[in-house]
Amino acid sequence: MWWIAMVLGCGTPGIKSADSNVRPNIVLITLDTTRADRLGSYGYPAAQTAALDHLANQGIRFEYAYSSIPFTIPAHASLFTGLYPFHTGIRANDAPLRPEFTTLAEQLQANGWYTCASVGAYVTHRSWGFDQGFSEYYDGIPEDGDRNRWHAERPAEAVVDDALDCMAKRPSDEPYFLWVHLFDAHHPYIAHGDGKFADPYDGELAYMDAQVQRLVDSLASDSTLWAVVGDHGEALGEHHESSHGLFVYNSTQHVPFFLSGAGVSSGVVSDPVSTVSLTPTLLYAAGLQVPTGLDGVVLPNAEMSPYMESFQTLQRFGLAPQQAVVKGRWKYIGNPQPELYDMILDPSEIRNVAALYPDIVHDLQSTLLAQRIPPPGESIPFVDPAIADRLAARGYVDAPAPLLPVGAVPGDPKDYTRMFDDLQTADPTDPSQRLRVVSLWAKRLPYSFELRSQELHLLDALGQTDAADAVQAEMTATFGQDARVWISQASRSLARSQPEEALRDVEVALDCDPKNAAAVALKVRLLLVLERDEEAIAYASEVLRQDPENLVLAAILGKLALENEDYGVAFRYLNVAARGPNPEPGARVDLAALLVLQGNSDDALRLLQAEVAESPNDLRAHRLLASLLGQDGLYDLQSVHLEVLAQAHPEDPKATAQYALSLFNAARWTECQQVVDEGLERFPDEPDLLFVYANLLAKSGNVAEGRVVFERANALRGVEKP
């Protein structure tokens, strides 16, 4: 046999299935964007990961563990279901884990475990379906208006604080399952350790490790089982990739995976394993029945050939998708020019030995083809027919437009490494330079939807309208069956104040994809722009009847009813849009405004506080909150929100004056004086600021001077002296 299976270490590593009378506590730590080869337990000499290494060395460590996909959302979906991405239907960061799937947390919760999660990023927010089965779910991820929401995160310290808080409140008579998700190793990196780390990525890992130590210090016991796993790794320049998502080389797929504590016999396993085996293994360790039909297996004794994929090269660039399988020591990547690497002698995948071992290539090709893996969007051969029936009933298994036009042959990504380098090094702040790079490669890859879309966007941004129109026409001809093309054209028509043309384009988009949520929402908005309100309401209502979870439409209909003073209808729709686990942006503010009109200020306050906690840049929420808090005489709290508004509108003297007045009412005289002084330098003739200044003077005993300022303010307002 040409592959090698080994077990290293003094003892025989294993996992014992728990007795029903002695159920273990389970702590699962998922390390986002963490490479195996950057931990000390995996041989990295510069690592400062003592806590993680101790857990690994005291437990069972899987030397060759592979993530199924280099994206957080589908990787976690696979971790929690034991299914590969082509079975969950999540092939990128673009869809939630649907409730039809039973998660690890749901199975533990149903069998008496108290379940709690504390997560560190937007990509594990409950809106992605990961809260299924958790009694408590801590996911207060603050938004930052200056950053991409996909990078919205909170530090490991805050994540662990919430996790320990949850554990302090847990029932003492139940075993618990705690999931802690740490996101810090994800780009962009934050410097730690006063510059002692030459590589900031190592610093982020060390920072996470310190927080893991806090968990161990607080929760370690003989009855606790620890599981640590990376969702995917991070390319640091290898194979022409920085970050992750495009390829399936070890830099993004080889991840740490180890278990330690209750029921675990220590040792190192060098058989290749997939992280989809996490759920069946933990269920077995918990003494529960492992469902049949999972892609994952109970480790460490079951053999498997881990599969991994990324279709981004196809979907974004029209190049061959990345699909790989590992069998023993060999890893095969099924590109047009096949790739074969020896995981023992060449873990960095430098030397492609496919030409030297054609029999092994053929064997692994057969292994890959035997799984009959469909491309994203096509019908998925679910193991459980009941699940398939439920998904079909909800319209989830319709196939989209082809990823490539008929007859187009995808190229091998290895032939386009210069393109990946060019795109990653192009200056994002220089649209002209970026346009030159994108246009060059768009000509060479005419079936790349992403490159053509970028080219179109950059041309519009630079005001080159005629050239942009030509690109749009070429995209329509090339990708005419793709709804995104027509949505793009509709948006451009709307920007030109041509709503009738935009509506025609949206109708074509809906012919291509009747369930396209963006097209549906845009059609409703266009009908409203065209003052065809009754038609918009009828259409949106019918779509919402068929899809009650369409929060965008619920928010639109609710806001429209609120404006028309139809408060009963407004409440019905806004309550749907605002109360769910992932409220539609702005819906909570509209519902709060309605509640205020109905005299329910307490509920309005709670909604607004939740809105600003998750969306601190929502100025409407801050404005309404400030008004309500002022009515209740809570001036200290009111000043917090008026300060946000003043900073957001430095050109508005009224905003500065209102902030100053709230500080005066809160008896914070020194701060109020500072705001007034700075405000009067910019707005010396603002009456409202002068009124606050007059009151400050009077408060400090300068009554006469205060009267003079007061009279000047009245004069500026046009108020005659009595």
Side-chain angles (χ1 to χ4, degrees), residues 34 166 189 205 248 264 306 311 314 363 397 399 416 450 491 497 583 608 643 718:
T34 300
C166 186
Y189 310 127
L205 294 178
V248 290
V264 176
F311 277 77
L314 176 61
D363 181 84
V397 295
Y416 294 89
E450 174 163 316
S491 299
S497 300
L608 293 168
E643 181 182 15

Side-chain angles (χ1 to χ4, degrees), residues 358-425:
D359 290 345
I360 296 175
V361 169
H362 177 75
D363 181 84
L364 291 176
Q365 282 178 335
S366 300
T367 299
L368 191 59
L369 291 172
Q371 299 196 54
R372 303 182 65 184
I373 298 162
E378 287 195 2
S379 299
I380 301 164
F382 292 102
V383 173
D384 184 346
I387 293 178
D389 291 343
R390 289 197 295 272
L391 292 177
R394 295 182 62 181
Y396 282 121
V397 295
D398 286 350
L403 296 170
L404 283 175
V406 175
V409 178
D412 193 310
K414 291 191 295 297
D415 295 334
Y416 294 89
T417 55
R418 182 182 165 191
M419 177 188 71
F420 298 120
D421 291 338
D422 288 350
L423 292 174
Q424 289 171 144
T425 57

Side-chain angles (χ1 to χ4, degrees), residues 503-526:
L503 184 59
R504 286 194 291 271
D505 293 332
V506 167
E507 295 289 6
V508 178
L510 289 168
D511 287 340
C512 297
D513 183 2
K515 292 182 171 62
N516 188 291
V520 168
L522 185 54
K523 177 178 178 177
V524 173
R525 292 191 174 104
L526 286 168

Side-chain angles (χ1 to χ4, degrees), residues 13 52 95 150 226 289 317 469 520 579-580 616 678 701:
L52 291 165
W150 293 99
W226 296 81
Q289 182 176 356
F317 301 108
D469 289 345
V520 168
R579 302 278 194 188
E678 293 173 355

Side-chain angles (χ1 to χ4, degrees), residues 262-329:
V264 176
S265 301
S266 64
V268 179
V269 175
S270 65
D271 284 337
V273 302
S274 171
T275 56
V276 298
S277 293
L278 175 77
T279 280
T281 301
L282 289 184
L283 288 175
Y284 175 80
L288 301 180
Q289 182 176 356
V290 178
T292 59
L294 299 183
D295 296 313
V297 298
V298 175
L299 299 174
N301 298 320
E303 291 186 3
M304 68 181 313
S305 297
Y307 166 78
M308 59 207 79
E309 68 170 39
S310 174
F311 277 77
Q312 292 295 291
T313 48
L314 176 61
Q315 293 173 310
R316 294 171 58 187
F317 301 108
L319 300 173
Q322 300 300 283
Q323 295 174 282
V325 64
V326 178
K327 198 170 185 180
R329 67 188 298 162

Side-chain angles (χ1 to χ4, degrees), residues 529-598:
V529 168
L530 292 166
E531 299 183 353
R532 293 158 59 178
D533 290 16
E534 290 186 5
E535 187 178 348
I537 293 171
Y539 173 69
S541 299
E542 176 58 23
V543 174
L544 196 59
R545 185 187 65 79
Q546 298 177 28
D547 181 13
E549 297 177 5
N550 192 323
L551 302 189
V552 176
L553 294 187
I556 292 173
L557 289 172
K559 187 177 182 66
L560 190 61
L562 180 61
E563 293 170 351
N564 293 333
E565 299 183 2
D566 191 346
Y567 297 142
V569 172
F571 181 82
R572 186 170 77 248
Y573 286 125
L574 290 174
N575 202 43
V576 170
R579 302 278 194 188
N582 185 32
E584 183 63 20
R588 282 187 290 210
V589 183
D590 290 329
L591 180 57
L594 175 58
L595 292 171
V596 169
L597 290 173
Q598 296 175 333

Side-chain angles (χ1 to χ4, degrees), residues 122-266:
Y122 167 72
V123 284
T124 44
H125 186 270
R126 70 187 64 203
S127 57
W128 297 106
F130 296 128
D131 62 329
Q132 297 176 46
F134 285 102
S135 303
E136 299 291 338
Y137 201 86
Y138 292 77
D139 61 348
I141 314 296
E143 288 186 6
D144 185 340
D146 297 327
R147 293 179 62 195
N148 188 323
R149 68 174 181 169
W150 293 99
H151 291 165
E153 62 179 289
R154 58 187 186 137
E157 183 176 2
V159 175
V160 172
D161 283 346
D162 279 346
L164 295 179
D165 178 68
C166 186
M167 290 295 95
K169 300 173 182 176
R170 74 180 189 272
S172 59
D173 58 344
E174 297 177 5
Y176 64 80
F177 170 52
L178 171 66
W179 169 38
V180 177
H181 166 246
L182 304 180
F183 192 73
D184 304 78
H186 197 289
H187 186 272
Y189 310 127
I190 297 173
H192 295 284
D194 298 323
K196 70 177 181 179
F197 293 100
D199 188 333
Y201 181 75
D202 290 344
E204 292 280 32
L205 294 178
Y207 169 69
M208 291 197 303
D209 185 78
Q211 301 309 312
V212 170
Q213 185 64 59
R214 290 178 59 208
L215 287 170
V216 173
D217 291 343
S218 297
L219 302 176
S221 76
D222 292 341
S223 60
T224 299
L225 170 62
W226 296 81
V228 179
V229 63
D231 69 336
H232 57 75
E234 179 80 325
L236 302 172
E238 302 95 338
H239 298 281
H240 302 273
E241 182 177 23
S242 59
S243 188
H244 54 271
L246 281 178
F247 303 125
V248 290
Y249 295 107
N250 279 358
S251 52
T252 64
Q253 303 311 116
H254 182 209
V255 294
F257 185 15
F258 44 88
L259 299 99
S260 183
V264 176
S265 301
S266 64

